[in-house]
Amino acid sequence: MRFQPHLTVATIVEDGGRFLLVEENKPQGIVLNQPAGHLEAQETLIQAAERETLEETGWTVRIESLLGIYLFVAANGETYQRVCFAGRAVEHDSGRTLDDGIIAAHWMSLDEVRACAERHRSHLVLQCILDYLNKPHYPLDLIR
């Protein structure tokens, strides 16, 4: 059997020290995550990150940099390759219907994110924010 990890994107959006997170209903309960999802056919990684952020939060974002590429094995044994970007909030459509399973989008401070770590979808929620704050941001032309 061939190994086929899931390719996903996630976007860190920060505004005034607050980070855009989504509250979503998953089989393990209600969890918090960055706007994130799977790459779809015929789209680039950047297009996927912008699309997922809009679909899950109602926010149009402009992707500005690459933060990192993460390999994660979930509790169910599935492997995910997460490409994480930094983006800037451009415009909000408050009337937009959010993706199925998304309860709400929230702007949270780092302290608030840390305080609810038990609700994070994975350890990557906090790790990606910390990398955004403390590690280099890479130019998008790194992706070919």
Side-chain angles (χ1 to χ4, degrees):
M1 188 161 136
R2 187 172 167 202
F3 174 66
Q4 295 181 318
H6 299 271
L7 180 56
T8 64
V9 295
T11 306
I12 303 295
V13 183
E14 184 260 341
D15 186 27
R18 297 174 56 142
F19 297 91
L20 183 60
L21 295 177
V22 295
E23 186 176 19
E24 53 187 342
N25 195 4
K26 291 294 179 190
Q28 66 266 37
I30 296 173
V31 298
L32 290 168
N33 197 11
Q34 277 88 31
H38 289 85
L39 178 71
E40 292 183 358
Q42 308 304 315
E43 73 181 347
T44 67
L45 291 167
I46 293 167
Q47 289 168 338
E50 291 172 340
R51 175 187 51 76
E52 287 289 350
T53 303
L54 178 62
E55 290 175 354
E56 292 190 355
T57 70
W59 279 94
T60 299
V61 297
R62 181 176 54 246
I63 299 300
E64 296 186 327
S65 60
L66 173 66
L67 295 176
I69 301 171
Y70 304 81
L71 190 64
F72 172 66
V73 179
N76 65 4
E78 294 287 335
T79 300
Y80 295 85
Q81 182 80 59
R82 180 188 240 214
V83 181
C84 191
F85 294 96
R88 177 182 312 275
V90 174
E91 182 178 29
H92 187 242
D93 179 356
S94 60
R96 183 178 180 90
T97 300
L98 304 181
D99 268 359
D100 285 343
I102 302 295
I103 297 167
H106 302 287
W107 289 95
M108 301 174 71
S109 70
L110 178 59
D111 287 341
E112 291 170 325
V113 173
R114 281 188 165 132
C116 62
E118 74 284 350
R119 292 186 56 214
H120 294 178
R121 185 159 178 190
S122 78
H123 74 282
L124 292 178
V125 173
L126 181 58
Q127 184 63 59
C128 288
I129 291 173
L130 294 175
D131 289 352
Y132 168 87
L133 293 169
N134 300 305
K135 303 255 177 156
H137 294 209
Y138 299 97
L140 295 174
D141 64 2
L142 186 67
I143 303 169
R144 305 264 184 231

